[in-house]
């Protein structure tokens, strides 16, 4: 039985005192309360008041998230919801940071020991320019953002992310926070039958949550995680070693990596794209195309673009842009990602969106005896209201295939 109600322990997580654990549990439960009790109240406010008032004033129903937002922000109930959400977010980082700060010297030492115990590569160059879209603000209100370093060999923002994301996800990402990677691996195994990647790259890996399932599911493959934030890859390398997996990590920019042409068979990312920028995204797609061997696949997992959601869901999810320091969250969902992938050189006939069912839901269905190939729709033992995670119980994947003879080769 998969226990998603407690984070699985590993050597790089800080030990919490009783009070710290209680604070963190409170932050997680508070988020659960907002998600489970306050969020459902927004629908009736919209249907009974905002939608009607809009229609009366404009002679038409609200058409998109902007129309909905204009009315909802004036509603006391929405203001209360949005404020509570922001407070919960700040609280969960604060509650986690107390343990991180207290244990930092021991955690840095532990990371050094673990990293020295593995033959997997850790590549952090002496000088590196982290893009401004990562450093300009504390994304999703995480103090210090991803890349801040305050001491030699700093891992603090990595620890903070690992624990904080578990609380944020309230178990939806599984005990190792690895649901996205696991779901994409399942997708590859089921849908790309016979595809055996020899080298796999995970872009924007942070602490390697989604990277490690690729090593687990493709044990013979050479697996790499890259990120622009040094403390994240440092922590990721130590965490992977602590969990007994040989995975390589490097500080690199997905827009322009240091790998040779055609080095990988599979390039993936998980919720990376919405934290980049309108200029970076096309560059990342081009870099994926360059890095792939002919016949390889690029898969980017995230939430769906807005045109695949109803306007009310768009409005709810776009609160990330407005209240959670995620400036590119909404704009990214309006870009024509398949067009960008085609422009980057991928086979136009083989670029598409698809859904990778959430692995945690499949585990739950399995435990309830309801597992089948169609397990995403099977009855889960635990009730998952996907909320702002993966509407419809799945991760949206943009999948693109590099033709066996690439566009560049054909042109040459
Ligand atoms: C939301 S996190 C990704 C989470 C991670 N993929 C997972 O599944 O747990 C976004 C990460 O992308 C990194 N990032 C942003 N822009 C990047 C770029 N151009 N190249 C590499 N990493 C980048 C950030 O530093 C951050 O660690």
């Amino acid at each position: 039985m998969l226990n998603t109600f407690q984070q699985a322990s590993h050597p790089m997580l800080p030990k919490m005192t009783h009070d710290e654990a209680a604070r963190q549990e409170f932050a997680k439960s508070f988020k659960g309360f907002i998600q489970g009790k306050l969020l459902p109240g927004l629908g009736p406010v919209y249907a009974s008041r905002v939608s009607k008032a809009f229609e009366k004033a404009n002679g038409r129903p609200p058409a998109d998230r902007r129309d909905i937002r204009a009315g909802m922000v004036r509603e006391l109930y929405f203001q209360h919801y949005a404020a509570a959400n922001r407070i919960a977010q700040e609280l969960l980082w604060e509650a986690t940071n107390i343990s991180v700060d207290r244990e930092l010297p021991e955690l840095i030492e532990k990371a050094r020991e673990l990293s020295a115990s593995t033959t997997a590569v850790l590549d952090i160059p002496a000088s590196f320019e982290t893009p401004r879209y990562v450093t300009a603000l504390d994304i999703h209100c995480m103090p210090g953002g991803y890349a801040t370093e305050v001491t030699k060999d700093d891992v603090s923002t990595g620890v903070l992310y690992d624990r904080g994301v578990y609380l944020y996800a309230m178990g939806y990402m599984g005990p190792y926070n690895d649901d996205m990677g696991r779901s994409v691996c399942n997708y590859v195994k089921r849908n790309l039958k016979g595809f055996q990647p020899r080298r796999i790259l995970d872009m924007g890996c942070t602490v390697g949550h989604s990277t490690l399932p690729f090593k687990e599911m493709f044990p013979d493959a050479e697996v790499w995680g890259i990120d622009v934030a040094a403390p994240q890859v440092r922590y990721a390398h130590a965490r992977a070693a602590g969990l007994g997996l040989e995975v390589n990590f490097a500080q690199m920019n997905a827009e322009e990596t240091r790998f040779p042409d055609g080095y990988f068979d599979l390039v993936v990312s998980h919720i990376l794209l919405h934290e980049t920028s309108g200029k970076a995204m096309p560059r990342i797609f081009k870099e994926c195309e360059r890095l792939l061997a002919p016949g390889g696949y690029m898969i980017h997992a995230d939430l769906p673009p807005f045109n695949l959601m109803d306007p009310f869901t768009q409005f709810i999810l776009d609160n990330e842009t407005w209240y959670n320091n995620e400036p590119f969250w909404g704009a990214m969902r309006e870009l024509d990602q398949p067009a960008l992938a085609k422009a980057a050189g991928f086979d136009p006939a083989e670029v598409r969106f698809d859904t990778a069912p959430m692995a945690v839901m499949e585990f739950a269905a399995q435990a309830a005896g309801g597992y089948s190939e169609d397990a995403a729709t099977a009855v889960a033992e635990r009730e998952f209201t996907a909320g702002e995670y993966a509407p419809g119980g799945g991760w949206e994947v943009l999948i693109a295939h590099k033709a066996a003879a690439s566009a560049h080769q054909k042109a040459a």
Side-chain angles (χ1 to χ4, degrees), residues 131 133-134 140 146-147 161 165 177 180-181 202-211 226-229 232 252-255 269-272 274-276 280 284:
Y133 52 78
V134 172
H140 44 58
Y146 289 106
Y161 185 84
V165 159
N177 284 322
M180 289 179 290
D202 181 20
M203 293 176 150
C205 62
T206 321
V207 298
H209 287 152
S210 303
T211 324
I226 60 164
D227 201 285
V228 287
Q232 304 296 337
M252 286 194 206
N253 188 334
E255 295 174 56
S269 82
H270 311 83
I271 56 170
L272 159 72
H274 75 266
E275 292 191 359
T276 61
I284 291 174

Side-chain angles (χ1 to χ4, degrees), residues 1-2 4 175 178-179 182 186 358-369 371 375 381:
M1 173 75 200
L2 182 74
T4 61
D178 62 359
D179 188 68
R182 228 163 248 294
N186 287 343
M358 287 178 84
V360 282
M361 293 184 82
E362 298 195 40
F363 270 121
Q366 213 165 7
Y371 180 77
E381 188 186 41

Side-chain angles (χ1 to χ4, degrees), residues 192-228:
L192 310 179
K193 295 247 186 311
F195 177 58
Q196 275 299 333
R198 292 157 305 168
R199 298 197 191 100
I200 302 171
L201 173 63
D202 181 20
M203 293 176 150
C205 62
T206 321
V207 298
H209 287 152
S210 303
T211 324
L212 300 197
F214 286 88
K215 186 65 188 172
E216 216 180 283
M217 298 220 202
F218 299 99
D220 297 331
E222 178 183 325
V223 177
W224 284 83
I226 60 164
D227 201 285
V228 287

Side-chain angles (χ1 to χ4, degrees), residues 113-133:
E113 277 168 27
L114 286 167
S115 280
S117 74
T118 171
T119 55
V121 176
L122 173 62
D123 175 8
I124 298 182
S127 80
F128 184 86
E129 199 179 330
T130 304
R132 230 185 93 69
Y133 52 78

